[in-house]
Amino acid sequence: MIEIRDLSKAYGGTPVLKACSTTVAKGEVVVVCGPSGSGKSTLIKCVNGLEPFQHGSITVDGVSVGDPKTDLPRLRARVGMVFQHFELFPHMSVRKNLALAQIRVLGREADEADARGLRLLDRVGLVAHADKHPAQLSGGQQQRVAIARALAMDPVCMLFDEPTSALDPEMIGEVLDVMVELAREGMTMMVVTHEMGFARQVAHRVIFMDHGEIVEDAPAAQFFAAPASERAQGFLARILHH
Amino acid sequence: MGEFDFSVWGPSLPFIRDGLLFTLRLTLIAMSGGIVIGTLLALARLSPVKPLSLVAGAYVDTMRSIPLVMVILWFFLVIPFLTGTPVGAETSAIITFTAFEAAFYCEIMRSGIQSVPRGQVWAAQALGLTQTQAMVHVVLPQALRNMLPVLLTQTIVLFQDTSLVYAIGAKDLLKAADVVGKNYNRPVEMIVLSALIYFAICFSLSLAVRQLQKRVAIVR
């Protein structure tokens, strides 16, 4: 589904990604972790072309992201993305947030888009808040709306960029629950997160990054039982026992 | 010098009303036209296409560096020269103010557009919206909302500045007061009346903007 080959990127002269290669198969859940500044958010933003890259290639469902001939908006419409800071549109009601791209990008009728939006809101348990504005919701609720908004586009895969990092601890669970359910339904997911509980529960593979490199790419059970590299051992020790 | 005689205010009202209507019309047209053109200028200034941003930048800097009254006089002389026919003081004033205010609204809209976090554009693009759609549906509505108090404050300044069309003889509120004052030989009383009208309108608008600012502050 997602194939990243030899991906390198630099800001000015500073390399942020160094020859990263990995794949995410259809239905697979891959967790990307690593210390801050390791390039994991940049990597995931490259997958739907939000960040340009200089070397290497990424294909998503057979479409090359870096090819100048690729219709990026069309590709992005099929790749759901959830951001650390939710990024709901604050000037629109929750309903309109869900309907906007369905109407403008997929060309759905307003009624159809609204109905689809409400079904997904129901699924994340927020249908009662459909007519509120994002600022009236808690962080956890906003992130669940953001997931519903991405799902409303019927994506072939979902990217999550630290979806729980900006949340108060008591709200993390409600967002992870939605993500776990999604993973169990067979959604292809690439998730940048420090939530190792989530990774243990649903991830098929864990990618560990440091200084712009993929240091370790292993089945989840193996990664947690016996991380091969010292850097991954140190990282796990720090985040699991603090 | 005799005493003040405010009885001139009564018969002056029809003229004052016509003058005020022109002043309001000029303000509203220059505001809406200025915001539309100013927004386009702002988009041009922020555009990665260098020639576009340079031209827009030069336009804005020029307009902002010349006293308004000179722009008014200059347009009044240049427009007939360009079009071949005299357009009249009123039309000239409307064109001038729209063009001049666009430069100021441009800078307001530019900071408004820049006040919208980058993540909003990412989110819009991640949903498959094109750059233009992201601008129209996500960035500009928020930029306008964030900048509404500043845009209205600029409009109050614009409303006061329209009195400068006096220089080319357009029949605005001040000109009407001036004409009546001369006819009845009561210039001071008429200036007082027009000043009171300017004050009443600007002061209530300022209060309205202050209320609006409080409401925007709560929503944010």
Side-chain angles (χ1 to χ4, degrees):
Chain A
M1 179 65 64
I2 302 171
E3 194 173 338
I4 301 173
R5 217 179 271 164
D6 237 2
L7 185 73
S8 295
K9 176 183 170 67
Y11 285 120
T14 323
V16 282
L17 294 175
K18 297 177 209 159
C20 298
S21 296
T22 189
T23 56
V24 181
K26 191 171 189 312
E28 202 174 18
V29 177
V30 173
V31 160
V32 183
C33 62
S36 62
S38 58
K40 52 200 192 308
S41 282
T42 309
L43 177 72
I44 205 171
K45 284 199 183 80
C46 286
V47 173
N48 64 353
L50 287 182
E51 289 276 9
F53 49 88
Q54 286 97 14
H55 298 288
S57 68
I58 302 179
T59 52
V60 177
D61 203 19
V63 181
S64 167
V65 179
D67 187 341
K69 289 194 290 281
T70 296
D71 183 351
L72 272 183
R74 204 168 142 193
L75 173 67
R76 288 176 184 141
R78 304 169 58 222
V79 178
M81 183 155 201
V82 174
F83 296 85
Q84 181 176 4
H85 297 287
F86 332 132
E87 305 299 351
L88 296 178
F89 306 133
H91 58 299
M92 295 178 192
S93 66
V94 164
R95 239 189 160 98
K96 293 230 168 87
N97 262 278
L98 273 85
L100 177 71
Q102 292 188 67
I103 296 170
R104 301 285 166 185
V105 178
L106 302 181
R108 286 182 183 154
E109 294 296 321
D111 295 350
E112 190 194 347
D114 194 51
R116 175 100 181 102
L118 288 178
R119 268 205 307 283
L120 285 160
L121 276 182
D122 189 37
R123 184 174 160 178
V124 298
L126 291 170
V127 77
H129 301 279
D131 292 309
K132 288 189 180 165
H133 275 67
Q136 293 168 283
L137 303 180
S138 72
Q141 290 172 329
Q142 288 190 52
Q143 194 61 301
R144 281 146 67 200
V145 171
I147 295 173
R149 181 174 71 176
L151 292 175
M153 303 295 286
D154 299 319
V156 293
C157 61
M158 289 281 286
L159 308 173
F160 293 82
D161 185 9
E162 305 209 27
T164 56
S165 302
L167 294 174
D168 291 337
E170 76 266 25
M171 291 172 187
I172 291 175
E174 62 188 73
V175 171
L176 289 179
D177 286 347
V178 173
M179 290 169 60
V180 167
E181 201 186 304
L182 208 53
R184 295 217 163 116
E185 282 168 17
M187 175 62 80
T188 309
M189 293 163 70
M190 194 165 170
V191 186
V192 173
T193 185
H194 288 157
E195 292 298 330
M196 290 302 125
F198 171 81
R200 272 181 210 274
Q201 209 180 339
V202 293
H204 298 102
R205 273 179 27 241
V206 176
I207 291 174
F208 172 74
M209 289 185 73
D210 196 14
H211 294 110
E213 287 174 295
I214 293 182
V215 178
E216 206 156 329
D217 184 344
Q222 186 186 324
F223 178 79
F224 287 114
S229 66
E230 247 172 66
R231 282 190 275 181
Q233 286 163 13
F235 174 76
L236 276 181
R238 276 197 305 283
I239 74 167
L240 295 178
H241 312 287
H242 62 80
Chain B
M1 283 301 279
E3 293 181 353
F4 288 132
D5 178 5
F6 292 106
S7 67
V8 64
W9 285 9
S12 77
L13 284 181
F15 301 97
I16 291 292
R17 188 200 55 208
D18 289 349
L20 179 60
L21 283 178
F22 174 71
T23 293
L24 291 174
R25 197 156 65 95
L26 177 56
T27 305
L28 286 178
I29 295 175
M31 176 186 74
S32 24
I35 290 179
V36 171
I37 298 173
T39 303
L40 294 174
L41 279 171
L43 292 174
R45 279 205 87 166
L46 295 170
S47 157
V49 185
K50 264 276 168 286
L52 206 57
S53 70
L54 284 177
V55 169
Y59 177 85
V60 170
D61 289 340
T62 309
M63 283 301 185
R64 302 213 310 166
S65 311
I66 302 176
L68 175 54
V69 73
M70 291 177 68
V71 181
I72 293 171
L73 284 169
W74 189 65
F75 266 64
F76 186 55
L77 299 173
V78 161
I79 291 170
F81 182 74
L82 289 178
T83 59
T85 48
V87 290
E90 283 76 15
T91 310
S92 176
I94 287 172
I95 296 172
T96 308
F97 269 88
T98 307
F100 187 81
E101 291 300 322
F104 287 84
Y105 287 120
C106 165
E107 290 307 272
I108 297 173
M109 286 310 293
R110 187 167 71 128
S111 53
I113 290 168
Q114 287 174 325
S115 75
V116 178
R118 178 122 188 254
Q120 287 283 303
V121 181
W122 274 337
Q125 291 187 336
L127 286 164
L129 295 174
T130 62
Q131 270 185 325
T132 311
Q133 285 175 324
M135 191 49 83
V136 171
H137 299 292
V138 175
V139 178
L140 283 182
Q142 294 185 58
L144 258 179
R145 208 183 62 166
N146 293 353
M147 288 297 126
L148 200 55
V150 192
L151 288 169
L152 288 176
T153 304
Q154 177 64 29
T155 303
I156 296 172
V157 175
L158 162 65
F159 176 73
Q160 295 170 6
D161 284 351
T162 58
S163 59
L164 290 172
V165 299
Y166 176 78
I168 53 171
K171 295 182 190 65
D172 75 323
L173 173 58
L174 180 59
K175 181 75 179 174
D178 182 53
V179 169
V180 176
K182 282 192 174 121
N183 286 348
Y184 287 81
N185 200 23
R186 288 285 167 202
V188 177
E189 288 84 345
M190 288 311 298
I191 294 291
V192 169
L193 177 60
S194 57
L196 283 175
I197 295 172
Y198 278 116
F199 176 80
I201 293 175
C202 290
F203 187 65
S204 28
L205 280 174
S206 299
L207 289 181
V209 172
R210 216 168 297 165
Q211 284 305 314
L212 191 75
Q213 251 162 342
K214 275 185 207 153
R215 275 187 43 194
V216 172
I218 292 167
V219 175
R220 282 258 102 195

